[in-house]
Amino acid sequence: VLSLKMLNYYCSQVTFFATNPSIADRGQLFKEEAGDIPVSAFGDKEDTDRLISMGKSSQIYGYIINKYNLMEYYEIDKEDKLADFKVNQRFSKNYEIFKNELGAIEVHVADINPEQAATMANDIVAKIDEISSNLLNSNKAGVVQLFEKELESKKEELSKITAEIQTLKSTGNNADKLKSLETAKENIEKDLAKITTLYSQNKAAANKKISSVYILEEAYPAVKKIRPKRSIIVLGALLATFISISLIALV
C-alpha cells in the first residue's frame, strides 16, 4: 500500500563531450606553417574533469534552485535555518553528473514531471557551457589588453623618437646620433608591426565564440519511470516478513 502511494520519478539525461579550448587559440587560427598538425576538436581528460567540476559547483546548484524555485517545489520552509541545506540535499538526490566508460559526460536529472526533468538537464549543460566559455574568454580578453597596452607604448615611443629625429635634422648637427636614432626607429617600427599583428590576431581569437561542449544527445522527456521499484519493495517486504515470522516461530 505504501509503495502505491509513492510518486513516480522520471529521469532525463544529456550526453556530451568537452571541446578542445585550444581550437580557438591564436596559434590555431593563424598558423604560420602549412605543415602544422591540427589539434583535435575534442578535449582531453583535464577538459572533461573541468566541466564535471563546474557541473558539481554551487554555481550550478544555485542557478537551478533559483530558476525552478525548488525551495517551494520541494515544499521546504524558507524560514527553516537548514532550508538551503535541505534543498541542496534534495536536489542532489535527483541530479548526477559523471564521465561514462566511453569518456563522454552524462547529466542525469530525475523529477516527478518528465518535461521538467528534461528541461533542467538541458539547462544545466547550457549553464556549464556558459561558465566555461566566460572563463576562457576572460583569459583571452586579458591577453588582448596586454597587447593593447604594449601597442600604445610602442606608438608613443615611435612618436618621441620621430620628433627627436626631426629636431636633429632641423639643426643639422650630430650626424652620428641622428644615424643611431634612425636605426632605433627602424627597430621600433619592426616591433610595432609585429605587435600590431599579434594584437589583431589575439583580438580576432577573443571574438571567436567556441562552445565548450559538444552535445551528442539532448535530454527528452522520459516515458518510463526510474523509481520507485514497487515490485522490489513488495518482494523485499514479503521476504523480511517471512524471515521475521520464521525467527519468531523458531523462538
Side-chain angles (χ1 to χ4, degrees):
V1 171
L2 290 175
S3 68
L4 290 174
K5 292 182 178 181
M6 292 180 179
L7 296 174
N8 291 333
Y9 276 81
Y10 301 86
C11 182
S12 292
Q13 72 178 62
V14 182
T15 305
F16 64 97
F17 288 96
T19 58
N20 190 345
S22 300
I23 200 170
D25 285 348
R26 182 199 66 85
Q28 291 298 319
L29 296 175
F30 303 96
K31 293 181 179 179
E32 296 181 358
E33 298 180 7
D36 288 344
I37 300 175
V39 297
S40 172
F42 298 100
D44 54 18
K45 180 180 179 297
E46 286 73 20
D47 297 317
T48 299
D49 291 342
R50 185 182 69 254
L51 294 184
I52 292 175
S53 298
M54 292 178 182
K56 294 180 179 179
S57 67
S58 58
Q59 195 170 357
I60 291 294
Y61 275 67
Y63 169 72
I64 295 297
I65 289 171
N66 291 329
K67 181 174 181 179
Y68 291 90
N69 195 15
L70 295 185
M71 192 83 72
E72 182 179 340
Y73 186 70
Y74 292 150
E75 298 180 350
I76 297 174
D77 184 10
K78 294 181 180 180
E79 302 300 325
D80 189 346
K81 293 181 179 180
L82 298 176
D84 292 334
F85 170 77
K86 289 180 179 179
V87 72
N88 276 277
Q89 190 178 46
R90 182 75 176 274
F91 178 61
S92 296
K93 293 180 180 179
N94 298 319
Y95 168 57
E96 188 178 13
I97 179 170
F98 60 93
K99 180 170 65 174
N100 64 21
E101 65 277 3
L102 299 178
I105 303 173
E106 292 187 15
V107 169
H108 292 202
V109 177
D111 196 88
I112 58 175
N113 185 337
E115 286 79 13
Q116 178 160 299
T119 305
M120 289 171 68
N122 289 325
D123 280 349
I124 288 171
V125 176
K127 190 62 177 179
I128 292 173
D129 184 21
E130 180 185 334
I131 295 171
S132 179
S133 297
N134 289 340
L135 180 62
L136 295 173
N137 290 334
S138 65
N139 292 335
K140 290 181 180 179
V143 174
V144 172
Q145 289 179 356
L146 290 176
F147 277 110
E148 188 174 5
K149 290 179 180 179
E150 185 65 20
L151 186 62
E152 293 298 324
S153 177
K154 283 294 179 183
K155 286 181 179 180
E156 290 178 5
E157 192 176 349
L158 180 61
S159 178
K160 289 179 181 179
I161 200 170
T162 301
E164 192 173 351
I165 289 173
Q166 290 175 351
T167 302
L168 286 176
K169 284 183 177 180
S170 62
T171 58
N173 297 326
N174 205 338
D176 293 337
K177 185 177 181 181
L178 179 61
K179 185 177 181 180
S180 176
L181 289 174
E182 287 179 342
T183 303
K185 180 184 177 183
E186 290 177 1
N187 292 333
I188 292 173
E189 287 175 341
K190 290 179 181 178
D191 291 341
L192 184 61
K194 291 179 181 178
I195 294 171
T196 301
T197 300
L198 290 172
Y199 170 70
S200 300
Q201 291 178 352
N202 279 280
K203 189 175 182 180
N207 291 331
K208 189 174 181 62
K209 306 300 181 184
I210 299 294
S211 176
S212 296
V213 301
Y214 179 81
I215 298 177
L216 186 64
E217 182 180 358
E218 291 185 350
Y220 296 97
V223 295
K224 185 178 180 181
K225 67 179 178 66
I226 60 163
R227 67 175 191 268
K229 304 292 185 182
R230 292 185 174 86
S231 57
I232 295 177
I233 293 173
V234 172
L235 290 174
L238 289 174
L239 181 61
T241 304
F242 173 76
I243 293 173
S244 300
I245 291 180
S246 297
L247 289 173
I248 292 172
L250 287 172
V251 171

